[in-house]
Amino acid sequence: MKQILLVEDDPEISDLVKEHLENEGYRVLTAADGEEAARLFANGGVDLVLLDLMLPKMNGMTLLKQIRVHSSVPILILSAKGSDLDKALGLGFGADDYIAKPFSLIELTARVQAAIRRATDYTVVDAKEERVLQRGGIRLDVDAFMAYKNGQAVKLTAKEFQLLHVFMENPKRVFTKEQLYQQIWNEPYLGEENVINVHIRRLREKIETNPSKPEVIETVWGIGYKLGAPQ
């Protein structure tokens, strides 16, 4: 049974979401502030975090950054702060998705299922598939869910790993933002250009020697992205 850490200081929302997700077959831990959430997460066994931004004691952004130092567990932000800036900040700090309040429980469940599926099933690879990809100085161990640049381990989130995997499996192909979104998020593309841009930028910051002059993930004439010539 998958375990979800729900970090929400509104007791009504917390109780409603907890009951719904438990009815869907998940085990749900709840925390009403950032410090309590950090303690619960440190105990281990959390498969996904649902994180409010406006929290007492430790705000959601701080908690998000703290978790990302040590873990690539899927993190979905739940917040009434729905501006593009808030979304960009959350994604930039390592969140996998962003759901603005008010949200439907059906949508929430679908996004939770998709995030957990991507994180847990992604390494279940067909035996015929190449399990270790090497392109220049970039090495991707699919089974171990690990990436290396010039022999040094690079810590990637689930989506960053999937993006890099797609590029390294198709080094000469140019992917549009729509194609990447549909393949990685497994959802229809509704113009979520900022989501793609943030994840590409974050991936470049981790694997490029100079992110401002990318050589690994190249932008192609404003059409999309492709794998360049990593050294």
Side-chain angles (χ1 to χ4, degrees), residues 143-163:
D143 283 348
F145 203 78
M146 289 294 297
Y148 302 87
K149 177 177 172 59
N150 298 327
Q152 298 295 314
V154 179
K155 195 172 187 61
L156 302 178
T157 66
K159 283 198 176 68
E160 291 164 0
F161 188 93
Q162 287 175 275
L163 281 167

Side-chain angles (χ1 to χ4, degrees), residues 125-157:
V125 184
D126 186 273
K128 296 181 180 179
E129 183 178 352
E130 186 178 1
R131 294 177 182 274
V132 177
L133 300 172
Q134 182 84 36
R135 301 285 183 261
I138 305 297
R139 180 173 177 267
L140 209 63
D141 188 329
V142 177
D143 283 348
F145 203 78
M146 289 294 297
Y148 302 87
K149 177 177 172 59
N150 298 327
Q152 298 295 314
V154 179
K155 195 172 187 61
L156 302 178
T157 66

Side-chain angles (χ1 to χ4, degrees), residues 106-127:
I106 293 176
E107 178 188 7
L108 174 64
T109 302
R111 289 179 182 256
V112 165
Q113 291 172 341
I116 290 179
R117 183 175 62 249
R118 286 191 294 264
T120 59
D121 294 349
Y122 191 68
T123 55
V124 180
V125 184
D126 186 273

Side-chain angles (χ1 to χ4, degrees), residues 38-49:
R39 288 193 296 270
L40 289 174
F41 187 84
N43 291 333
V46 173
D47 298 292
L48 179 139
V49 179

Side-chain angles (χ1 to χ4, degrees), residues 33-182:
D33 63 70
E35 291 183 358
E36 181 185 10
R39 288 193 296 270
L40 289 174
F41 187 84
N43 291 333
V46 173
D47 298 292
L48 179 139
V49 179
L50 291 174
L51 178 62
D52 187 21
L53 292 181
M54 304 299 290
L55 296 169
K57 297 187 179 180
M58 181 194 298
N59 66 51
M61 290 294 188
T62 301
L63 178 60
L64 171 58
K65 289 188 286 184
Q66 182 174 309
I67 290 175
R68 275 293 173 256
V69 171
H70 305 289
S71 174
S72 59
V73 65
I75 300 176
L76 277 62
I77 291 177
L78 304 176
S79 179
K81 299 182 69 176
S83 72
D84 287 342
L85 177 59
D86 293 318
K87 292 180 181 180
L89 282 173
L91 294 170
F93 288 143
D96 292 272
D97 207 346
Y98 193 113
I99 306 175
K101 298 175 183 176
F103 51 82
S104 76
L105 292 175
I106 293 176
E107 178 188 7
L108 174 64
T109 302
R111 289 179 182 256
V112 165
Q113 291 172 341
I116 290 179
R117 183 175 62 249
R118 286 191 294 264
T120 59
D121 294 349
Y122 191 68
T123 55
V124 180
V125 184
D126 186 273
K128 296 181 180 179
E129 183 178 352
E130 186 178 1
R131 294 177 182 274
V132 177
L133 300 172
Q134 182 84 36
R135 301 285 183 261
I138 305 297
R139 180 173 177 267
L140 209 63
D141 188 329
V142 177
D143 283 348
F145 203 78
M146 289 294 297
Y148 302 87
K149 177 177 172 59
N150 298 327
Q152 298 295 314
V154 179
K155 195 172 187 61
L156 302 178
T157 66
K159 283 198 176 68
E160 291 164 0
F161 188 93
Q162 287 175 275
L163 281 167
L164 187 56
H165 189 187
V166 167
F167 288 129
M168 292 186 69
E169 279 195 318
N170 305 273
K172 296 181 180 180
R173 178 177 173 183
V174 176
F175 288 92
T176 66
K177 293 177 181 178
E178 180 177 0
Q179 289 170 333
L180 288 173
Y181 191 87
Q182 291 175 341

